[in-house]
Amino acid sequence: MRIPEAKDPVAALRTALPEAVLYAKDFRGETTIVVHPQHLVAALQFLRDTPGLVYNFLSDISSVDYYPEPPTEQRPERFAVSYHLLSMLYKRRIRVKVFVAEDEPEVDSITSLWPAANWLEREIYDMMGIRFRGHPDLRRVLLAEDWDGHPLRRDYPLGYEQVQFSFNVEEIIKHKPLAEE
Amino acid sequence: MGVSAKLGNLGVVTTTLEQAVNWGRTGAMWPLLFGLACCAIEMMATQASDYDLSRFGMELNRASPRQSDLMIVAGRVTRKMAPVVRQLYDQMADPKWVISMGDCASCGGVYNNYAVVQGVDEIIPVDVYVAGCPPRPEQLIHGIMTLHERVKGERISQWA
């Protein structure tokens, strides 16, 4: 069987789904396509199933919180979710990125395309608080079920105890919640 | 005809009940088979042939909290693990003791963050703290000896 010629993913996606692509950029040989959240599933399915692209392996899903910085034209919202795809046929990678609004952090789940996305999306929900529409079982995966908040958000407090030195140890011990028998 | 005439000179030792019981408690103090992080490796080394914790009557770690007297908290306790540690402690039968092994168990160590309990004494009462990251087996043995001295000094009125 002849393997079809490899296509340029950005041009192919722009031709097939022109309304989906916000912009694309290249940085040190890595291609990133920023897509509109409404067309995320369609764009990923196109990248996976089109001959000449065949990004058939979902390496990872990651999320970003740009909290203290104000939004810009390139980065319109506070959160972003990145999908890292690998084409095992053409031995190349691509990153697909969507921006997620702060007041309603929700994107479509891609568990219908890759079942492996299940726990990756649960982890992002757990640590970053971004919900996934259509996920079959969106529970916390790392932290305890009754955990308050989402710790990887930039506005989450880092620790909850001062470091003890000889000058402040008595003050800290005074407020330490020691256990009873 | 007394006992000594029948059996020969037994040699009589007089002691108090307190001392006899405390001697028995220190002579066979069984730890709970329970390690949380890298400190557990040093705890295993302490029990292995080089350092040989069985010299102090601790040759076996019981895998059940019902059969153990001593809990060695070896490693950092995460907030997800904390209820489990507390439940294991509650399941241990009296008398029971706790050694907090290493910096992480004692005060959080380098993990001063949201996920780690800043000292296991926030969830269970601790008798002896062993410093070190991780403590060498000698240090852990010293901590156990310190606990033994403490147990030997216990009075009847303090017995649970």
Side-chain angles (χ1 to χ4, degrees):
Chain A
M1 199 187 89
R2 223 185 103 255
I3 297 173
E5 193 84 2
K7 282 196 262 184
D8 175 24
V10 180
L13 193 64
R14 276 218 168 97
T15 322
L17 298 161
E19 71 281 8
V21 183
L22 286 180
Y23 63 92
K25 63 178 177 187
D26 265 302
F27 180 70
R28 295 188 179 170
E30 295 179 2
T31 310
T32 305
I33 306 178
V34 180
V35 301
H36 200 275
Q38 280 182 341
H39 303 93
L40 170 71
V41 179
L44 289 172
Q45 187 161 20
F46 176 80
L47 290 172
R48 186 186 71 171
D49 294 342
T50 309
L53 299 175
V54 202
Y55 289 98
N56 52 358
F57 182 73
L58 177 71
S59 304
D60 199 4
I61 308 177
S62 55
S63 58
V64 196
D65 182 4
Y66 295 99
Y67 165 59
E69 297 157 31
T72 61
E73 199 173 324
Q74 295 279 297
R75 193 169 49 64
E77 305 285 357
R78 174 178 165 182
F79 297 111
V81 181
S82 298
Y83 299 82
H84 307 266
L85 306 182
L86 165 69
S87 169
M88 295 210 225
L89 189 61
Y90 299 107
K91 302 188 188 73
R92 57 181 184 171
R93 293 172 188 276
I94 199 167
R95 181 184 302 117
V96 177
K97 200 166 174 179
V98 285
F99 284 99
V100 187
E102 181 182 354
D103 45 345
E104 202 194 338
E106 208 168 61
V107 281
D108 286 327
S109 170
I110 59 157
T111 44
S112 53
L113 298 178
W114 284 279
N118 189 323
W119 280 30
L120 298 172
E121 288 179 350
R122 276 177 69 186
E123 187 186 348
I124 290 174
Y125 164 69
D126 192 356
M127 307 304 280
M128 198 65 99
I130 296 169
R131 293 186 300 277
F132 289 88
R133 237 174 279 128
H135 190 282
D137 182 25
L138 196 62
R139 288 179 294 129
R140 288 184 182 275
V141 67
L142 292 174
L143 302 174
E145 287 122 37
D146 56 349
W147 197 279
D148 199 17
H150 303 280
L152 282 195
R153 288 191 175 189
R154 302 277 287 271
D155 52 0
Y156 193 88
L158 195 60
Y160 73 105
E161 188 165 287
Q162 258 185 300
V163 180
Q164 289 182 5
F165 296 103
S166 49
F167 72 89
N168 63 1
V169 61
E170 283 172 13
E171 187 63 28
I172 289 172
I173 290 290
K174 210 189 292 174
H175 300 295
K176 197 172 165 72
L178 290 174
E180 301 289 315
E181 177 72 36
Chain B
M1 196 167 69
V3 179
S4 59
K6 195 176 179 189
L7 299 174
N9 187 9
L10 284 170
V12 177
V13 179
T14 58
T15 181
T16 61
L17 181 64
E18 265 171 1
Q19 282 176 344
V21 170
N22 285 342
W23 171 79
R25 284 179 174 178
T26 54
M29 194 181 268
W30 287 354
L32 181 59
L33 178 62
F34 167 62
L36 290 175
C38 34
C39 276
I41 302 291
E42 295 296 307
M43 191 174 71
M44 290 174 224
T46 316
Q47 285 152 356
S49 49
D50 264 15
Y51 293 93
D52 198 11
L53 208 55
S54 60
R55 289 179 291 161
F56 311 109
M58 306 173 84
E59 59 267 33
L60 68 166
N61 273 15
R62 302 309 299 194
S64 159
R66 304 283 188 203
Q67 299 168 348
S68 44
D69 311 299
L70 173 65
M71 177 185 253
I72 302 176
V73 184
R76 75 277 177 284
V77 184
T78 58
R79 275 167 72 178
K80 198 175 179 181
M81 190 69 188
V84 183
V85 175
R86 178 69 212 195
Q87 190 177 8
L88 284 172
Y89 177 79
D90 288 340
Q91 284 174 341
M92 285 164 68
D94 278 324
K96 54 190 173 186
W97 297 276
V98 176
I99 288 180
S100 165
M101 178 183 179
D103 288 349
C104 302
S106 302
C107 66
V110 296
Y111 302 103
N112 190 6
N113 60 29
Y114 62 88
V116 175
V117 175
Q118 301 297 301
V120 74
D121 49 7
E122 290 184 8
I123 51 169
I124 53 176
V126 176
D127 294 293
V128 173
Y129 299 88
V130 181
C133 185
R136 284 189 56 82
E138 296 96 319
Q139 286 172 277
L140 180 59
I141 291 173
H142 181 256
I144 292 166
M145 294 294 102
T146 310
L147 181 66
H148 281 185
E149 290 310 311
R150 214 184 127 138
V151 171
K152 279 175 191 161
E154 280 184 5
R155 311 249 70 95
I156 288 184
S157 54
Q158 298 165 333
W159 287 355

